[in-house]
């Protein structure tokens, strides 16, 4: 949608004059920082604020990513009156101390301005940190991922690219597990073909409400097998903090009105004697991957741990495990273990559905 068309509703609603009270004059700058409940409360105070609040709500439904991704990612809800899911957006991993307390959403701030409010890019951890996540995904032993590929000259001399300064773009990936890309230790930039997963969401997606499963992530275009979808972004937690939060989430979920997005990844090291644990919590701060639902048949996505030259921690990324049609929901398997006798009901609809969602001790 052209930028001018997006601005028209907000511009019309946000008109104010010098006779308006100070709050109304500054409403278009203040109200985007409010939560849905706060926005609803202030909209009931006067007609002018109600109009501005409606404009902000419309803007929020148009793009969940706050213009931080390559494409708009809209919310579609044909089920009830909740137009969008509220959360703080980050396109990459970050530490809890880097997570913003608030974030503007629904204003006409440009991408650069919003990035400054967001508080920075991917986080860096020192070697004393243990990598951590709530549902569990088992990843294979590290190996180089290769499929049908083509060479692209990127001018980089690092090990991540092939000999002679040549990078790789992967097409039709078959064996998923571990892959390595250029990173902080390389001299190349984002234009390097060996930074496939570092340029944000590259396909058109939409977030759709389902009567049973709640929100889910859907393809808004045809996606080919092996194509990169997105990474699982959120707060990187220690094991202790992950367990503390999971206890809180379990109590909230018992009411049936709460769903967490705490993901625990375990990478089995080559020795077979150790396991690297990564806890990524996208419940409060995350990206569109927090809306990917479980499927007992494995779904249509494959998880890959992506490492970067000069970076300590890997990133969990999703690739298409087969061709995905436009309008098809994106799903993957949360795991096989079910330790709770009365776990949450699964609505994946696959022929091999177990009836309950995977669960294990965090």
């Amino acid at each position: 949608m052209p930028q001018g068309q997006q601005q028209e509703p907000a511009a019309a609603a946000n008109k104010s004059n010098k006779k308006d009270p100070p709050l109304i004059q500054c409403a278009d700058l203040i109200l985007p920082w409010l939560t849905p409940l706060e926005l609803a409360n202030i909209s009931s105070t006067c007609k002018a604020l109600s109009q501005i609040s409606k404009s902000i709500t419309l803007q929020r439904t148009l793009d969940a990513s706050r213009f931080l991704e390559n494409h708009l990612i809209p919310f579609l809800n044909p089920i009830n009156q909740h137009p969008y899911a509220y959360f703080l957006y980050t396109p990459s991993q970050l530490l809890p101390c880097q997570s913003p307390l608030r974030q503007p959403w629904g204003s006409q701030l440009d991408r650069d301005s919003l990035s400054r409010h967001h508080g920075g890019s991917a986080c860096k951890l020192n070697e004393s940190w243990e990598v951590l996540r709530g549902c569990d995904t088992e990843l294979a032993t590290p190996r180089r991922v290769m499929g049908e590929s083509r060479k692209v000259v990127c001018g980089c001399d690092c090990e991540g690219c092939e000999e002679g300064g040549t990078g790789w773009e992967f097409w039709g990936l078959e064996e998923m597990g571990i892959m390595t890309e250029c990173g902080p230790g390389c001299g190349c930039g984002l234009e390097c073909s060996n930074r496939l997963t570092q340029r944000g969401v590259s396909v058109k997606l939409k977030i759709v409400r389902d009567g049973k499963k709640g929100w889910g992530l859907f393809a808004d275009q045809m996606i080919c097998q092996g194509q990169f979808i997105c990474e699982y972004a959120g707060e990187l937690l220690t094991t202790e903090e992950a367990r503390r939060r999971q206890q809180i989430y379990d109590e909230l979920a018992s009411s049936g009105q709460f769903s967490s997005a705490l993901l625990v990844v375990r990478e089995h090291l080559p020795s077979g004697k150790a396991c690297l644990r990564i806890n990524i919590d996208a419940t409060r701060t995350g990206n569109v991957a927090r809306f990917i639902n479980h499927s007992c048949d494995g779904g249509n996505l494959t998880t890959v741990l992506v490492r970067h030259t000069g970076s300590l921690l890997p990133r969990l990324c999703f690739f298409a495990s087969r061709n995905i049609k436009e309008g098809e929901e994106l799903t993957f398997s949360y795991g096989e273990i079910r330790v709770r006798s009365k776990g949450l009901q699964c609505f994946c609809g696959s022929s091999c559905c177990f009836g309950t969602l995977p669960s294990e001790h965090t």
Side-chain angles (χ1 to χ4, degrees), residues 107 183 215 251 289 304 317 328 345:
S107 66
W215 295 105
E251 292 177 2
V304 181
C317 295
E328 186 177 348
Q345 187 174 358

Side-chain angles (χ1 to χ4, degrees), residues 200-220:
V201 179
S202 60
V203 297
K204 294 181 180 179
L205 305 170
K206 58 184 177 182
I207 304 165
V208 182
R209 183 81 178 185
D210 178 82
K212 293 182 178 180
K213 292 189 287 186
W215 295 105
L217 190 63
F218 286 71
D220 206 19

Side-chain angles (χ1 to χ4, degrees), residues 156-168:
C156 180
D157 296 326
C158 64
E159 294 181 1
C161 293
E162 294 301 313
E163 56 187 2
T166 302
W168 290 90

Side-chain angles (χ1 to χ4, degrees), residues 294-348:
H294 164 79
S295 182
C296 293
D297 64 3
N300 50 23
L301 300 181
T302 298
T303 53
V304 181
L305 274 185
V306 180
R307 298 188 177 281
H308 306 94
T309 306
S311 181
L312 174 64
L313 298 177
R315 294 157 48 243
L316 182 68
C317 295
F318 294 98
F319 289 78
S321 59
R322 59 172 173 79
N323 291 336
I324 301 173
K325 298 178 181 179
E326 180 178 351
E328 186 177 348
E329 183 177 8
L330 305 181
T331 59
F332 77 109
S333 174
Y334 289 2
E336 302 296 333
I337 301 174
R338 289 168 172 80
V339 298
R340 299 189 183 102
S341 57
K342 295 182 180 180
L344 297 176
Q345 187 174 358
C346 178
F347 298 103
C348 71

